[in-house]
Amino acid sequence: MVIVLTPGAKEEEVAVLREVLQEAGCEVWPTKGAFQDILGLVGETHKVDREQVMSFRCVEKVLAVQDPYKKANRLFHPLDTAIRVGNSRIGGGGLAVIAGPCSVESEEQIVGIAKQVQASGATFLRGGAYKPRSSPYSFQGMQEEGLELLKLARKATGLPIVSELVSTDQLDRFVDDVDVIQIGTRNMQNYELLKAVGEVNKPVLLKRGLSSTIEEWLMSAEYIMAGGNEQVILCERGIRTFETYTRNTLDLSAVLAVKHLSHLPVVVDPSHAAGMWWMVEALSKAAVAVGADGLMIEVHNEPERARCDGAQSLKPERFDRLMGQLQRLSALEESAM
Ligand code: PEP
Ligand code: MN
């Protein structure tokens, strides 16, 4: 971090600033310029509060040399992180596929879909038990009963389960019942929730916020990791842009950026990005082409009757066909590396 001081900055004020910086754990290296002086900082610069530094009247600007995230940063962890869950893995090569309905609706539905996606080669089962919906009048999920049904589906197939946690109230239950805790788009900056999942020993799938920058997303990962839980999987699920034809705009360049900046695995959710089932296959292939470590795909046996997100759900037959294509594509990508 480099702090540029104002021309004629008062020495007493600069001395207080240096004290504050040293207290934060930084070494301060001053350099005299012809018109302005600068302070070079080394050490725990991520602990320096930029806003606080800017509040000193002797400071003109603060230039960041390093990213504000440490644990998520590839700089300090050059190798890709692989997260293992049972017999499945996300990251470190191969393609993980998390498939299943938007929400758990009944035993027959979730166990039936779990068997179908497993037969097609999915490596995780997804299913929402607690649903964060835009309208309070929409289906809110089967909640505790939904978690019980997910466990039955896991027992029937052996597939690890991924489900969304919406409140710290249910954290203990999720730690006992699910294999990967999903933090949804709407909660990407719910810092209390992030801190809480940072304290447990359970992989967390962190979806990108609706209008979040890549840096904000990585800072949310950092929140979880700072608590000691380093098993974070990032999920690009489309962001809000001016376009309204699609539900969101799938930001595939974010996959490349995040894999460049971070060692964490990245999966792509084309279902919530597009909002339309017929776009899901092509977007899934595009995600593999840019190097995603996995996909999250909504699958429903009767999308017309789905209680949530039927329009973006693939039928099991289409999912099966897609899986065959993805396996060939993923093998081709790996052989080209
Ligand atoms: C979901 O995966 O069911 C979901 C609600 O996703 P998102 O948080 O990306 O909207
Ligand atoms: Mn959904």
Side-chain angles (χ1 to χ4, degrees):
M1 186 178 273
V2 175
I3 298 174
V4 181
L5 301 173
T6 51
K10 287 199 189 89
E11 254 175 53
E12 314 81 77
E13 208 185 335
V14 178
V16 180
L17 172 62
R18 288 180 62 164
E19 221 174 271
V20 167
L21 297 167
Q22 275 154 354
E23 275 163 19
C26 295
E27 263 180 60
V28 185
W29 295 88
T31 305
K32 283 231 164 281
F35 302 104
Q36 281 172 285
D37 298 346
I38 60 171
L39 301 178
L41 303 193
V42 284
E44 311 263 288
T45 56
H46 62 289
K47 292 197 182 147
V48 172
D49 181 352
R50 199 176 177 279
E51 305 268 305
Q52 190 192 358
V53 173
M54 281 305 292
S55 69
F56 279 83
R57 302 304 186 257
C58 60
V59 172
E60 185 156 302
K61 56 185 167 189
V62 179
L63 307 170
V65 177
Q66 253 173 33
D67 300 311
Y69 43 88
K70 273 237 131 80
K71 289 183 176 250
N73 202 321
R74 195 181 273 284
L75 197 61
F76 311 110
H77 189 305
L79 296 181
D80 285 345
T81 286
I83 293 171
R84 277 166 221 283
V85 188
N87 295 325
S88 301
R89 190 184 71 179
I90 304 186
L95 183 74
V97 179
I98 306 165
C102 181
S103 8
V104 181
E105 297 168 7
S106 67
E107 178 176 342
E108 197 191 355
Q109 176 241 23
I110 192 68
V111 175
I113 297 175
K115 287 183 176 164
Q116 283 174 307
V117 297
Q118 183 191 36
S120 302
T123 49
F124 290 82
L125 173 69
R126 63 149 288 145
Y130 292 83
K131 295 304 304 174
R133 306 298 301 276
S134 314
S135 166
Y137 307 113
S138 302
F139 175 55
Q140 302 287 310
M142 291 184 77
Q143 311 200 347
E144 285 195 16
E145 199 186 341
L147 290 177
E148 290 306 316
L149 298 183
L150 279 169
K151 288 199 286 185
L152 292 181
R154 176 173 59 197
K155 200 162 169 214
T157 59
L159 286 179
I161 51 185
V162 183
S163 200
E164 179 170 353
L165 173 73
V166 295
S167 157
T168 51
D169 296 350
Q170 285 102 33
L171 181 58
D172 292 344
R173 185 82 206 252
F174 270 67
V175 171
D176 290 342
D177 290 353
V178 315
D179 301 292
V180 177
I181 298 177
Q182 177 171 324
I183 299 293
T185 292
R186 292 155 193 83
N187 277 315
M188 190 207 82
Q189 286 183 317
N190 181 338
Y191 298 119
E192 292 311 310
L193 197 55
L194 299 179
K195 283 191 258 180
V197 295
E199 278 171 16
V200 301
N201 179 18
K202 186 69 71 178
V204 177
L205 182 131
L206 177 67
K207 287 198 153 193
R208 182 177 180 185
L210 214 55
S211 304
S212 297
T213 63
I214 289 166
E215 187 169 293
E216 286 164 343
W217 187 19
L218 289 172
M219 284 309 284
S220 291
E222 190 78 10
Y223 252 96
I224 300 170
M225 298 173 89
N229 185 358
E230 302 204 355
Q231 306 169 82
V232 179
I233 303 146
L234 299 163
C235 177
E236 160 62 39
R237 47 76 74 203
I239 48 171
R240 180 162 287 181
T241 65
F242 54 82
E243 185 52 70
T244 54
Y245 185 77
T246 44
R247 185 173 179 185
N248 292 287
T249 298
L250 182 60
D251 183 6
L252 283 179
S253 55
V255 177
L256 292 161
V258 154
K259 288 197 70 73
H260 178 74
L261 296 167
S262 175
H263 52 90
L264 296 173
V266 189
V267 310
V268 169
D269 170 353
S271 310
H272 289 88
M276 289 172 264
W277 67 269
W278 56 271
M279 287 192 180
V280 169
E281 292 159 84
L283 292 178
S284 300
K285 293 179 210 167
V288 173
V290 296
D293 296 292
L295 292 163
M296 173 176 262
I297 299 175
E298 285 190 340
V299 178
H300 200 287
N301 48 352
E302 246 187 319
E304 305 80 4
R305 290 185 190 275
R307 299 196 72 184
C308 184
D309 289 349
Q312 65 193 35
S313 300
L314 287 186
K315 290 188 180 174
E317 312 79 72
R318 290 297 282 243
F319 176 73
D320 188 62
R321 199 182 72 166
L322 172 63
M323 285 299 287
Q325 296 171 348
L326 290 175
Q327 268 145 16
R328 289 193 291 279
L329 187 61
S330 162
L332 198 67
E333 288 289 328
E334 300 239 319
S335 68
M337 297 283 262

